Amino acid sequence: MTSAPSEGAPGGAGAGDAGATAQMEAQAEAPAGRVPGEAILEARDLVKHYPLTQGIVLRRQVGAVKAVDGVSFELRRGETLGIVGESGCGKSTVAKLVTSLETPTSGSIRFKGEDVTRLSGRALKSLRRNIQMVFQDPYTSLNPRMTVGDIVGEPFDIHPEVAPKGERWRAVRELLDVVGLDPEYVNRYPHQFSGGQRQRIGIARGLALRPEIIVADEPVSALDVSVQAQVINLMERLQDEFELSYIFIAHDLSVVRHISDRVGVMYLGKLVETGTESEIYEHATHPYTQALLSAVPVPDPGAEAGRARIVLEGDVPSPANPPSGCRFRTRCRRADERCAREEPVLRIPAEGERVLAGPARHPSACHYAAEAQDRPVRKAGESTAGEKRAGEKTEGETAGAAAPE
């Protein structure tokens, strides 16, 4: 058995209508360095609830897991939208909804103005040609019984109009060359490649039908750091070469910052803050975003020693029983009684409503949105007066974090 060369070898390089509308308007600003075109994909008030049932013979619904609960965003031609958040916040569910692998409970997804949630048959098949996905695990997303040529060429069997039978082998070899793999590898099997090379095969498969959008669900999380950089650089080059738009989902905030034009932060099924790369990473106003950023290590021992780490206490509440009001309030050091009573809307604050200016004026779902140094926070373990008054309710919700059986 001949193994493929190593990766480093040459050539292997929740909102209502008002909140959703405000969010769409806020996202129209193009970041420096790249000028995205018109909106190509728009999600509005997207909801996906998975029912919880009881009984064997007479099954009845006793609740629902609110995986995605009122998410709105838009993706513009040629840009990269990064989505970050903790495990279980709904990022991958959003990816499945966008690619029509799941059907939303409510809300709409429009591709070039057409509501894709209402499509079926040939219309849905045509849509899937334009929106492709790169999966997280390069080891399980490739069929071990198929050769690389069969894997990359399989989309042509479903959409024969893209590459007639006499041209498919040539098209497959060209795709392998585009992603930095030797075209002579077409007859090899996935187990003969490294993790980074397998992910390149997955990217080649995603490019086969010349899509306009690629949804990348944590495409580098299973790879070594050096290989991550190679795959990210490859994706950036392909974006310019094929005029692609990306929805890039990841846990690694540094990777998301490197590749994204705009970033959305998710928590418990909702977007809690959106903005350009500089707005989110340098002027975050939501306490959850600030806590995430404080956990990112800085490659400077002196600067790292002087940083104030924001430590979140407790576990993420269950999406089957989210807290009332603001979903982050059970772990937030700014929370008060208003947070338990009133759900904040993701929007840009109105003039005079909050003292925010410049890059800090971007959509944030927090009653007390402010840059880290602008609003005092209580010490860990210290309760506010509002939390004490709402203590009984808060404790009940926290205890109900486990989904009902």
Side-chain angles (χ1 to χ4, degrees):
M1 183 184 302
T2 306
S3 61
S6 65
E7 182 67 21
D17 287 343
T21 302
Q23 182 181 350
M24 300 298 177
E25 294 173 351
Q27 292 173 341
E29 180 182 354
R34 182 181 294 159
V35 182
E38 75 280 4
I40 189 174
L41 182 79
E42 178 183 320
R44 193 178 188 90
D45 298 327
L46 204 56
V47 173
K48 180 61 180 178
H49 292 176
Y50 294 95
L52 295 172
T53 59
Q54 259 185 1
I56 299 176
V57 179
L58 300 175
R59 300 180 68 84
R60 61 187 181 90
Q61 183 173 339
V62 296
V65 175
K66 300 175 182 178
V68 176
D69 203 19
V71 169
S72 299
F73 63 86
E74 73 174 20
L75 179 68
R76 306 181 76 81
R77 188 181 298 277
E79 81 165 351
T80 300
L81 172 65
I83 299 180
V84 299
E86 293 174 286
S87 295
C89 70
K91 305 186 301 298
S92 294
T93 303
V94 168
K96 293 176 182 178
L97 293 172
V98 169
T99 53
S100 297
L101 296 178
E102 292 276 8
T103 303
T105 304
S106 64
S108 65
I109 303 172
R110 294 188 175 274
F111 176 70
K112 294 183 175 180
E114 183 176 21
D115 189 352
V116 304
T117 62
R118 302 180 183 275
L119 299 181
S120 60
R122 291 184 178 180
L124 181 58
K125 180 180 177 181
S126 177
L127 166 77
R128 285 176 168 160
R129 173 183 168 181
N130 289 303
I131 304 178
Q132 291 289 298
M133 191 166 183
V134 175
F135 296 93
Q136 174 178 356
D137 191 348
Y139 296 89
T140 59
S141 63
L142 304 180
N143 190 332
R145 295 179 176 85
M146 296 174 66
T147 65
V148 169
D150 292 334
I151 291 171
V152 176
E154 188 175 21
F156 300 141
D157 296 332
I158 302 170
H159 297 271
E161 71 279 5
V162 178
K165 283 190 175 182
E167 299 180 9
R168 291 183 189 179
W169 208 242
R170 178 182 58 82
V172 168
R173 295 170 69 91
E174 289 177 353
L175 285 166
L176 293 179
D177 184 59
V178 163
V179 299
L181 292 175
D182 191 333
E184 299 300 323
Y185 295 166
V186 288
N187 292 318
R188 297 188 180 182
Y189 289 86
H191 71 270
Q192 296 177 273
F193 295 88
S194 67
Q197 289 172 323
R198 295 186 197 192
Q199 197 61 288
R200 289 171 186 265
I201 296 168
I203 294 172
R205 178 177 57 187
L207 289 173
L209 300 178
R210 296 295 189 267
E212 298 184 57
I213 297 174
I214 286 185
V215 181
D217 186 10
E218 302 197 40
V220 296
S221 63
L223 307 177
D224 294 336
V225 174
S226 60
V227 180
Q228 286 183 12
Q230 295 173 14
V231 173
I232 292 298
N233 291 336
L234 170 65
M235 294 184 67
E236 289 183 315
R237 176 175 64 80
L238 295 175
Q239 182 173 34
D240 295 334
E241 185 175 342
F242 293 94
E243 299 181 351
L244 297 168
S245 301
Y246 288 146
I247 295 179
F248 190 91
I249 297 170
H251 285 101
D252 192 326
L253 295 174
S254 300
V255 170
V256 172
R257 181 173 193 178
H258 176 78
I259 196 173
S260 300
D261 300 304
R262 290 184 298 111
V263 178
V265 183
M266 285 193 70
Y267 182 81
L268 209 59
K270 288 184 175 290
L271 280 171
V272 297
E273 188 167 7
T274 62
T276 64
E277 170 265 326
S278 61
E279 288 172 345
I280 296 297
Y281 285 85
E282 298 175 17
H283 304 278
T285 60
H286 195 283
Y288 176 63
T289 308
Q290 293 166 357
L292 289 180
L293 294 174
S294 75
V296 178
V298 175
D300 182 348
E304 180 70 24
R307 294 176 70 206
R309 173 74 186 276
I310 301 175
V311 180
L312 298 180
E313 297 182 347
D315 296 325
V316 180
S318 169
N321 186 26
S324 63
C326 176
R327 298 191 174 192
F328 184 60
R329 67 177 178 82
T330 57
R331 305 171 73 194
C332 181
R333 298 186 293 168
R334 297 178 183 170
D336 62 12
E337 58 184 355
R338 181 188 179 190
C339 301
R341 182 180 67 250
E342 180 182 340
E343 182 177 358
V345 176
L346 178 65
R347 60 187 175 90
I348 299 177
E351 290 291 343
E353 184 178 357
R354 304 177 201 151
V355 185
L356 293 175
R361 275 187 62 81
H362 58 266
S364 182
C366 180
H367 296 307
Y368 306 109
E371 293 194 66
Q373 68 274 20
D374 292 339
R375 178 177 169 83
V377 295
R378 71 179 189 269
K379 297 178 181 179
E382 179 184 350
S383 299
T384 64
E387 283 180 327
K388 290 175 181 177
R389 284 190 290 270
E392 182 177 351
K393 186 173 184 179
T394 302
E395 290 174 5
E397 290 168 343
T398 304
E405 297 180 355

